[in-house]
Amino acid sequence: MDYETVVRGRRSIRGYLDKPVPKELIREVLEIAMRAPTSLNTQPWNFYVVTGDVLDRIREGNVERNLAGVPDSREFRMGPGYEGAHRERQIGIAKQLFAVMGIERHDKEARMDWVLRGFRQFDAPVSIVITYDKSIQGSDIAPFDCGGVVNCLVNTAWSKGLGCVINSQGIMQSPVVREHAEIPDDQVIQTCVAMGWPDDSFPANSVVSTRKSVDEAATFVGFED
């Protein structure tokens, strides 16, 4: 696929086939993704790629702790809740997903099941945990660069036939992730990406999120009309 086809066609995948992803294919995706732009070539990112029993233990621990009411321990700043247009977009994508999944507003059981899927990394066969060195924590540059490499990662995966979803629910209980993925204390856990072969029969995979227009997002200065 050419670049435009990849970017326009990619979407978040929340349902996966029960089919392993070859290690060499993941290595190829990471190698390409790491060509992402980075401030002064610092390349702050590190990847902990987990699958199999290790990923199952992370899923179980994440679900158990969240259901038990253990407070969120994500290692990045959440900031204030979304308001205005940002909140409207957040609600909009939730409505799209719930509609195709047949989840009614009053159906608490189905809504909770959907939340638990996020805690389970959407049952994907692979999770890639992105970290950066704690020695550079405190600056916004490292998280910015990690965001850039994650963007390249999900697009590269899509070009290879793989699906992904960026999923901070999967690292809500960072001690669980750190223990089972063997992430040392000198690393900051930034986010994780669920990865696998898309299940085309899973309704949520058909959802394509909307984007605001260029006119809404961009201001052109100094151009002749």
Side-chain angles (χ1 to χ4, degrees):
M1 290 186 281
D2 62 42
Y3 180 75
E4 183 175 349
T5 300
V6 171
V7 172
R8 290 187 181 277
R10 188 211 62 81
R11 58 190 181 276
S12 293
I13 297 300
R14 297 175 172 87
Y16 298 88
L17 298 176
D18 184 13
K19 176 182 175 182
V21 181
K23 181 179 178 181
E24 286 306 310
L25 179 55
I26 301 172
R27 290 181 62 90
E28 182 182 355
V29 168
L30 290 174
E31 182 181 14
I32 295 170
M34 286 192 292
R35 294 305 307 173
T38 174
S39 177
L40 299 175
N41 199 35
T42 51
Q43 304 176 58
W45 48 69
N46 297 294
F47 307 95
Y48 293 81
V49 185
V50 292
T51 191
D53 292 341
V54 176
L55 181 51
D56 286 340
R57 290 196 293 272
I58 291 174
R59 291 190 231 272
E60 291 168 7
N62 207 23
V63 170
E64 287 174 3
R65 286 168 65 101
N66 279 298
L67 288 178
V70 177
D72 173 4
S73 57
R74 285 180 283 205
E75 298 179 5
F76 56 82
R77 294 173 297 178
M78 289 295 292
Y82 291 126
E83 296 180 356
H86 304 98
R87 178 60 176 162
E88 289 173 8
R89 295 188 194 108
Q90 187 181 41
I91 293 172
I93 190 63
K95 286 182 176 179
Q96 284 183 267
L97 291 166
F98 285 178
V100 298
M101 293 298 297
I103 300 174
E104 300 291 342
R105 185 180 182 85
H106 63 275
D107 192 340
K108 293 183 179 180
E109 184 176 346
R111 291 167 74 92
M112 176 55 71
D113 181 68
W114 182 256
V115 171
L116 293 178
R117 288 184 62 85
F119 294 160
R120 298 196 310 265
Q121 314 242 3
F122 294 94
D123 299 324
V126 174
S127 177
I128 301 177
V129 184
I130 295 89
T131 74
Y132 62 90
D133 294 346
K134 191 169 287 185
S135 63
I136 54 177
Q137 187 177 22
S139 166
D140 289 333
I141 294 176
F144 180 86
D145 284 351
C146 287
V149 80
V150 167
N151 177 66
C152 288
L153 192 161
V154 298
N155 280 325
T156 302
W158 188 261
S159 76
K160 304 293 182 182
L162 292 165
C164 295
V165 63
I166 303 168
N167 176 31
S168 69
Q169 284 178 296
I171 56 163
M172 282 182 71
Q173 300 294 339
S174 60
V176 172
V177 179
R178 189 177 293 280
E179 176 188 355
H180 295 297
E182 301 180 5
I183 301 173
D185 289 338
D186 64 0
Q187 296 294 297
V188 178
I189 298 174
Q190 176 65 32
T191 193
C192 70
V193 175
M195 174 188 286
W197 304 104
D199 179 356
D200 293 335
S201 69
F202 190 74
N205 289 347
S206 66
V207 170
V208 178
S209 58
T210 59
R211 290 292 187 268
K212 59 183 179 182
S213 69
V214 172
D215 287 339
E216 291 176 282
T219 301
F220 294 89
V221 181
F223 290 85
E224 295 182 3
D225 291 337

